[in-house]
């Protein structure tokens, strides 16, 4: 017997999982060969890229000390930001504990580049839920881009979920200052963009208006492919450290990386003009950020292997998933179509029951800041809300899709998914 099948047998016994489900799991994992190999190859490439960055920057013990107060001359912060920039193919980066969410990182990037009267083009359809509030729906929305007098246009994705390149080109004019691209599917039923597709958008933008900037919401995309969008010409990428690039270790934080000219504006917007990126105490967190970023390619690999397994297993059970086990991966998120509220809620609770933290807590749907509808989040994490750890997010709305992501090891993802399906099975919610 191979060690993978042995793991499923033992997990089945330890947790009393239905035998026919264990048999199905072995079949699903047996089908993952090529997809798992691809993910491991990408991981090894990214590991080497990151390793080189640490050595090039000369990371040392002295970078782990940290500063307080203003954080002037914080060596750890400077090294961390150089490592990020180098690994991401960017000219400069800001990596800060004071950026508390991915939403804040994207909002900062947008606010830094846009001035009253400018036009923002959303090139990949409606953006992630929390960003809709950042953009605003009417000029009365306090703090929103609309209130700042920015005009917003949107180009929807094509029916197959790919960007509508012709329409993007046609909608760029002399007032277009920023073209916004969302790489990940977020909470929408569409494939993630590939970095190549983002590169094509950059090409179109450059042709249509050479002064317009491309800002990419890179959440959930880091290290899924060999390059980040910055290496294909994107001007700014923004993301969260409690997703991929924190490697499950960073206790908080966010980043922005990109072209010098844009990063200068980001720095001034983030603190204050004149202070820029030269202040910002790290309070001793630099070691965790550096350690997490170093581990991130491996964490992303494990999360992807788990997602590929889960996608295959759900398809064997007759559920639609996005992406399919052998489809291109542009983010770590797996969409699973549950079709009704009961199944979705049961699955989320099953994932939570299978977590190392808060397994005894039953998650309830709740309103969340930034979201319009109730959201159910399953998964007990060491870092609050960290979706680099195994979690499932479920906006409670049609078509009742759950979005599964993260996990420190594919075995953790597999166990969580099996126990959650077993739970649904016992409740008569799956055949
Ligand atoms: C998670 C996410 C965000 C927002 O990040 P938060 O940390 O939840 O604020 C934005 N865009 C996408 C695509 C995301 O996946």
């Amino acid at each position: 017997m191979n060690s993978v099948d042995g793991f499923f047998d033992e997990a089945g016994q330890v947790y009393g999982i239905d035998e026919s489900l264990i048999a199905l799991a072995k079949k699903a994992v047996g089908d993952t060969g090529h997809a798992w190999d691809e993910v491991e190859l990408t991981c090894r490439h990214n590991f080497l890229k990151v390793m080189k960055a640490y050595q090039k920057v000369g990371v040392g013990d002295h970078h782990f000390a940290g500063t307080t107060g203003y954080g002037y001359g914080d060596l750890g912060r400077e090294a961390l930001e150089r490592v990020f920039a180098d690994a991401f193919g960017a000219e400069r980066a800001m990596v800060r504990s004071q950026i508390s969410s991915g939403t804040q990182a994207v909002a900062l990037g947008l606010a830094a580049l846009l001035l009253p009267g400018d036009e923002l083009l959303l090139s990949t359809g409606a953006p992630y839920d929390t960003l809709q509030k950042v953009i605003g729906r009417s000029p009365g929305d306090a703090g929103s881009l609309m209130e700042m007098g920015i005009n917003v246009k949107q180009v929807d994705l094509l029916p197959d979920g790919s960007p509508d390149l012709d329409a993007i080109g046609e909608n760029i004019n002399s007032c277009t200052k920023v073209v916004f691209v969302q790489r990940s599917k977020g909470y929408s039923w569409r494939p993630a963009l590939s970095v190549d597709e983002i590169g094509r958008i950059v090409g179109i933008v450059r042709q249509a208006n050479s002064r317009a900037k491309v800002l990419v919401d890179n959440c959930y995309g880091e290290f899924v492919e060999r390059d980040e969008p910055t290496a294909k010409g994107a001007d700014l990428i923004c993301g969260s450290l409690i997703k991929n690039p924190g490697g499950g270790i960073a206790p908080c934080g966010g980043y922005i990386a990109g072209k010098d000219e844009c990063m200068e504006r980001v720095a001034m917007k983030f603190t204050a003009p004149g202070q820029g990126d030269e202040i910002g105490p790290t309070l001793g967190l630099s070691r965790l950020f550096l350690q997490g970023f170093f581990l991130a390619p491996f964490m992303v690999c494990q999360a992807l292997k788990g997602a590929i397994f889960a996608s295959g297993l759900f398809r064997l059970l007759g559920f639609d998933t996005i992406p399919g086990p052998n489809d291109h991966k542009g983010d770590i998120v797996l969409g699973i179509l549950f079709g009704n509220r009961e199944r979705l809620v049961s699955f989320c609770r099953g994932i939570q029951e299978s977590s190392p933290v808060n397994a005894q807590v039953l998650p309830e749907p709740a309103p969340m800041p930034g979201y319009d509808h109730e959201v159910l989040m399953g998964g007990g994490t060491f870092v609050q809300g960290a979706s680099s750890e195994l979690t499932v997010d479920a906006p409670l709305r049609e078509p009742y899709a759950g979005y599964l992501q993260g996990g420190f090891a594919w075995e953790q993802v597999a166990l969580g998914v099996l126990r959650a399906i077993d739970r649904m099975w016992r409740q008569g919610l799956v055949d």
Side-chain angles (χ1 to χ4, degrees), residues 101-104 128 130-131 182 184 186 217 219-220 240 243 371:
S101 67
T103 305
Q104 192 188 342
Y128 189 79
T130 59
L131 294 173
Q182 181 179 308
S184 168
D217 174 353
C219 283
Y220 286 136
S240 162
K243 295 180 178 175
Y371 296 88

Side-chain angles (χ1 to χ4, degrees), residues 111-420:
L113 299 183
L114 289 159
L115 294 173
D118 286 343
E119 207 163 277
L120 165 67
L121 179 64
L122 306 170
S123 72
T124 48
Y128 189 79
D129 299 61
T130 59
L131 294 173
Q132 299 186 13
K133 304 252 163 113
V134 170
I135 291 159
R137 283 160 196 171
S138 74
D141 289 344
S144 68
L145 296 177
M146 287 245 182
E147 188 196 39
M148 274 169 56
I150 285 142
N151 303 311
V152 182
K153 279 203 295 196
Q154 180 173 317
V155 171
D156 288 328
L157 294 164
L158 292 168
D160 69 355
S162 62
D164 189 343
L165 299 177
D166 292 337
I168 294 171
E170 286 158 16
N171 277 282
I172 294 172
N173 57 50
S174 60
C175 294
T176 310
K177 178 68 81 59
V178 174
V179 176
F180 174 81
V181 176
Q182 181 179 308
R183 181 174 175 186
S184 168
K185 64 180 74 58
Y187 287 168
S188 53
W189 193 260
R190 60 120 162 142
L193 261 64
S194 69
V195 173
D196 277 341
E197 278 173 314
I198 296 174
R200 282 195 282 279
I201 295 177
V202 172
I204 283 167
V205 174
R206 295 287 178 263
Q207 235 174 12
N209 176 346
S210 60
R211 281 164 312 157
K213 307 296 180 200
V214 177
L215 183 151
V216 180
D217 174 353
N218 207 32
C219 283
Y220 286 136
E222 299 89 352
F223 296 126
V224 171
E225 295 194 47
R226 288 171 168 243
D227 285 316
E228 299 306 323
T230 23
K232 299 277 162 122
D235 295 284
L236 284 182
I237 56 174
C238 312
S240 162
L241 297 191
I242 62 170
K243 295 180 178 175
N244 309 16
I249 302 283
C252 61
Y255 78 89
I256 304 192
K259 302 257 167 73
D260 238 330
E261 172 202 353
C262 299
M263 286 304 301
E264 184 63 16
R265 297 191 64 89
V266 167
M268 296 310 167
K269 195 75 183 178
F270 180 59
T271 57
Q275 297 190 322
D277 56 5
E278 293 182 58
I279 62 167
T282 52
L283 309 168
L285 291 171
S286 294
R287 181 182 63 79
L288 296 177
F289 290 158
L290 283 161
Q291 196 174 343
F293 191 66
F294 182 73
L295 291 174
F298 298 107
M299 292 297 163
V300 167
C301 173
Q302 292 296 314
L304 282 171
K305 286 174 73 172
I308 290 165
F309 162 77
S311 182
L313 181 61
F314 270 106
R315 291 219 173 175
L316 289 175
L317 287 163
F319 288 82
D320 198 7
T321 58
I322 191 164
N326 292 305
D327 295 342
H328 170 268
K329 311 289 178 305
D331 63 13
I332 61 167
V333 183
L334 175 69
I336 306 159
L337 204 60
F338 288 97
N340 69 40
R341 187 182 166 108
E342 292 69 41
R343 280 195 214 116
L344 182 55
V345 169
S346 179
F347 181 76
C348 291
R349 290 182 169 164
I351 291 290
Q352 175 110 13
E353 273 175 7
S354 186
S355 295
V357 182
N358 292 336
Q360 69 286 5
V361 174
L362 199 66
E364 290 288 344
M368 301 271 299
Y371 296 88
D372 273 343
H373 39 75
E374 284 191 316
V375 181
L376 183 56
M377 297 194 169
T381 55
F382 292 95
V383 171
Q384 187 191 95
S387 42
S388 50
E389 302 185 45
L390 177 63
T391 43
V392 55
D393 295 338
L396 292 172
R397 64 179 178 209
E398 292 283 350
Y400 294 101
Y403 296 90
L404 183 78
Q405 64 266 315
F408 291 113
W410 75 260
E411 289 90 339
Q412 181 197 359
V413 182
L415 178 66
V417 166
L418 281 172
R419 290 191 62 201

